[in-house]
Amino acid sequence: MDHVQDMPRTDTAMPMPRAAGEGAVVPAASSAVAEADERPKMYRRRSSRVVAGVASGLADHLGVQLLWVRATFAVLTAFGGAGVVAYGLLWVFVPQRRRDDAEAPTTPKEKQQAIGLLILGVGLLVSAGAITGAINGWVAVPLALALIGAAVVWREADESQRRRWRDGARSGVAGVVLGGGGWSAAVRILAGVALVITGIGVVVLRSGSLDQVQFALLAVLATLVGVAVLTVPFWLRMVRDLGEERRARIRTEERAEIAAHLHDSVLQTLALIQKQAEAPKEVARLARSQERELRGWLYGPSGYGAPTKGTSAGRLAEAIAGACGEVEDTFAISVSQVVVGDVELDDRLTALVLAAREAVVNAAKHAEVDEVSVYAEVEPTGVTVFVRDRGKGFDPDTVSADRHGLADSIRGRMERNGGKVRLRTAPGEGTEVQLEMPVKAEQGGTR
Amino acid sequence: MSETTQDRAPISVFLVDDHALFRAGVRTELESITDEVRVVGEAGSVAEAVTGIARTKPQVVLLDVHMPDGGGAEVLRRARTELPDVVFLALSVSDAAEDVIAVIRAGARGYVTKTISSKELVRAIARVADGDAVFSPRLAGFVLDAFADRPGSAPISDPELDLLTPRERDVLRLLALGYAYKEIASELFISVKTVETHVSSVLRKTQLSNRYELSRWASDRRLV
């Protein structure tokens, strides 16, 4: 369950659907798993990072040089600290990558550049603040303290998450906060907390001219802000873990559903087949009907693999398959059916299907064959169904008047609905029944 | 071929299927009912199949459609460039249009389902070995469906490839109904040879046409 989010993704940057300003290029792989959130996303790097892996992750994501990303952050910092804010937001909202293997190692030179740019960014922030006067000297120091404190705690959160991934899931508050990091993790977190509290405390204390009520309010507010800032990573992690657990649960349920279905159908049939091993005809019947059922479940229009869309009364192909299946089961013969095109059923087509079923039943009863072929074709003007066997055939003129099958069930039914029947048969030649039913003009055959 | 079926050397056949049980079954059945066919090798994976086919150089490969690592279509892609003389007959339990059309477009000369009787399988092997095509009723249905002229289907870019002649349509209809070639010939008052020509021509169109339905079915299996 730890690998739900894992995406096979190369380290070289690829064009993302969300890449700024570019046309959406959806990777071909996404068509396989039609889940929007399984698309390759942006990840923070884990192993080769200086602060939190945001810059390198962004560079991977956008396909630009790492140095340029870092420089942009540094320069942006000069504008009212925008770089710091952007970095912080990305840190919070972009998850860490889970696998180390796909990452390029950091060279010492890159690390030096990064630290240089970091110092440059901080310098720019301070000097820009000093020039514009937006940041007074007494605010700058505690603000910096609070920022560093938050960074230490957030980084520790990243570390603990990694340890959790490595060691397997751990539950409980201590597990979430420390993530198995032991004393050093606790010390780091406490130090970070202390820094944030000091920073906020200094800000609050320096505004000493306020009276007591306002001071108390301010203190409460400041504490809340401090707690919120410090616990951001843990809240986020909880939300993400919940999402992952939900996905794992869905998978488990899916698996259970498949297992239940296979048990009720395939395993039962296999057991029956073993019991009936002496009766080949019965075995064949069981196997055929099970095969049909499983196929319908896997690939059929209302089956497991089908997209869930509302289907109306029924389609011709489905109805014919159903009718053939019934005859197969009843008479223990095999009925191979091919349907070209498909339409919605209406009264006349239902009559056509019933007539075709009767023709198959006739073949099964009288032709003395193991196999009957059914072929249906949907054309813009009408639907034609052929039912054919290679059986013994008969002489149409000598059929006794009391045999209703052909006369009533087939011919009568077709003619009442405006259709036609043609019959080709002779003793020893097999039988072919051709049923033709015109469709109304507005019903075009589509699949 | 000018010799009669009795005289000529047995057709060498290579079996590719990831189920060993199925391979064993086919091998025993083929060898027990006829001398016309000789199984020269078998393989259970795509890689094994590619090397095995190159080594044994069979006349016909019986190819399973569904296998790990790309399935029958992958074997076709990798083996056909080097050995253009080997013909492939796809054999599958799948009746899904995208599977059937995908292997045909990858270069198989025919498609039959695994429920085919051994006698008919031997007949199908002999037919593809002679350079003809083998269409199961289901495949004939898919092809008719793909070439059907419907309101809303894509415009025809190459009539030579994208349309079936009325005669080819007739032949396919009868194939879909389970008629044998001989029965089709007498039904349409043409020779068996002409039936074979029509079927081969339909096969060529199925492989080369750019009709939307065909390319869609093929691309559903990531095969263009």
Side-chain angles (χ1 to χ4, degrees), chain B residues 115-192:
Chain B
T115 47
I116 191 173
S117 75
S118 308
K119 248 197 222 144
E120 282 187 52
L121 181 60
V122 171
R123 217 174 296 154
I125 291 170
R127 203 174 281 289
V128 292
D130 281 351
D132 293 321
V134 171
F135 275 44
S136 72
R138 195 55 69 117
L139 173 57
F142 289 148
V143 172
L144 272 173
D145 206 16
F147 283 97
D149 211 8
R150 300 210 178 88
S153 54
I156 306 301
S157 55
D158 183 358
E160 174 63 27
L161 280 179
D162 294 347
L163 291 175
L164 297 178
T165 65
R167 217 30 163 186
E168 286 165 354
R169 237 167 241 287
D170 293 341
V171 171
L172 278 179
R173 268 193 201 106
L174 293 174
L175 277 174
L177 248 180
Y179 276 63
Y181 281 25
K182 210 192 277 175
E183 294 170 308
I184 296 175
S186 69
E187 176 77 28
L188 299 177
F189 306 108
I190 52 180
S191 71
V192 174

Side-chain angles (χ1 to χ4, degrees), chain B residues 16 18 34 38 41 49 77 83 87-88 95-96 115 137 146-147 155 169 172 175 179 182 188 196 198 211-212:
Chain B
V16 181
D18 56 336
T34 178
R38 191 167 49 90
R77 243 193 311 257
L83 300 159
V87 292
F88 290 81
D95 269 341
T115 47
F147 283 97
R169 237 167 241 287
L172 278 179
L175 277 174
Y179 276 63
K182 210 192 277 175
L188 299 177
E196 285 168 355
H198 284 311
R211 278 195 75 116
Y212 169 70

Side-chain angles (χ1 to χ4, degrees), chain B residues 75-88:
Chain B
V75 177
L76 275 161
R77 243 193 311 257
R78 281 164 57 180
R80 273 191 88 240
T81 43
E82 288 168 41
L83 300 159
D85 293 340
V86 179
V87 292
F88 290 81

Side-chain angles (χ1 to χ4, degrees), chain A residues 62-126:
Chain A
L62 296 177
V64 289
Q65 285 248 327
L66 179 51
L67 182 63
W68 290 112
V69 176
R70 283 185 171 142
T72 310
F73 273 122
V75 172
L76 277 179
T77 306
F79 300 100
V84 176
V85 174
Y87 197 96
L89 286 176
L90 284 171
W91 191 348
V92 169
F93 289 112
V94 175
Q96 281 189 98
R97 174 143 348 132
R98 296 205 130 190
R99 279 195 229 153
D100 284 317
D101 48 16
E103 293 182 353
T106 326
T107 58
K109 190 175 152 224
E110 263 184 343
K111 203 147 195 163
Q112 278 170 17
Q113 281 174 345
I115 292 170
L117 282 169
L118 192 64
I119 295 169
L120 176 71
V122 173
L124 279 174
L125 179 62
V126 171

